Amino acid sequence: MDIEHRAKKIKLVCTDVDGVLTDGLLNYGPEGGHWKQFYVRDGVGIKALQKSGIPVVFISGQLSESTTKRARDLGVEDCFTGVATKVDLIEKICIKYGVSLEEIAYVGDDMIDIGMLRQAGFAICPQDAVPEVKAIAHWIVPVNGGRGVIRSVAEFIIKTKGLWERLVKSYLG
């Protein structure tokens, strides 16, 4: 099945955070905790998906207040952090959003994402993902993590569904 066919079926996008929405670097200071940088265009991509009727879910292995705050700022309703086995959430997510596995796109970059990528109807990764993830991805986005992966995913899915022009017009006022 080609990636356009997979994209047309998508009703929900789930994404890892570190290495997808960020470049994967964690900055620690003397006060404890860490902070992350998020690419603003990924935020625009998330809002574009939401405006197009496609919710977004964050699933991160890292317990992080920065991730929770970013999700809140973007209106991402479900933000799971500190998740050791991400695939354990898939049934709960499918039930909550009323979707099947083939209607989920999952974006991940590392070993912790393999279970979710294998379950999702559209498995996606950034170009700097680990080889094991690249081997199972349906689409390798031609940008590194933290540099617009989700923005690229959003545009591709929305265009494939034929919703792009309407979305652009919504920004014209």
Side-chain angles (χ1 to χ4, degrees):
M1 183 181 326
D2 67 10
I3 63 173
E4 288 84 9
H5 185 73
R6 290 179 185 280
K8 283 181 183 175
K9 293 182 176 186
I10 297 308
K11 294 183 180 176
L12 177 71
V13 173
C14 297
T15 185
D16 175 39
V17 177
D18 301 307
V20 175
L21 291 172
T22 75
D23 61 10
L25 297 174
L26 298 177
N27 298 287
Y28 283 83
E31 69 285 341
H34 61 270
W35 60 273
K36 304 175 185 192
Q37 288 184 297
F38 294 91
Y39 193 52
V40 71
R41 288 190 190 153
D42 282 328
V44 172
I46 289 167
K47 297 308 282 183
L49 285 164
Q50 293 166 334
K51 282 182 98 167
S52 299
I54 302 168
V56 177
V57 173
F58 288 3
I59 307 172
S60 179
Q62 187 74 230
L63 190 59
S64 169
E65 191 57 39
S66 297
T67 297
T68 303
K69 181 168 179 11
R70 184 65 173 149
R72 191 170 39 247
D73 289 349
L74 292 170
V76 172
E77 183 178 322
D78 287 308
C79 176
F80 302 96
T81 64
V83 180
T85 309
K86 296 180 180 187
V87 76
D88 289 348
L89 292 173
I90 197 77
E91 185 177 341
K92 176 182 177 180
I93 290 168
C94 285
I95 291 168
K96 177 173 181 178
Y97 288 92
V99 298
S100 67
L101 292 172
E102 73 175 8
E103 294 171 321
I104 295 175
Y106 184 79
V107 188
D109 71 305
D110 212 338
M111 305 291 277
I112 194 171
D113 300 305
I114 289 175
M116 287 293 287
L117 290 162
R118 287 189 185 276
Q119 293 289 319
F122 193 10
I124 306 165
C125 70
Q127 72 180 2
D128 60 345
V130 299
E132 295 82 0
V133 167
K134 287 180 169 181
I136 61 172
H138 300 121
W139 182 36
I140 300 170
V141 180
V143 296
N144 287 344
R147 295 294 179 256
V149 175
I150 295 298
R151 174 62 173 78
S152 298
V153 168
E155 185 171 337
F156 182 75
I157 291 171
I158 295 166
K159 282 183 175 178
T160 302
K161 288 176 157 287
L163 304 172
W164 187 254
E165 294 305 318
R166 182 175 57 138
L167 176 68
V168 171
K169 286 179 184 174
S170 76
Y171 285 100
L172 298 177

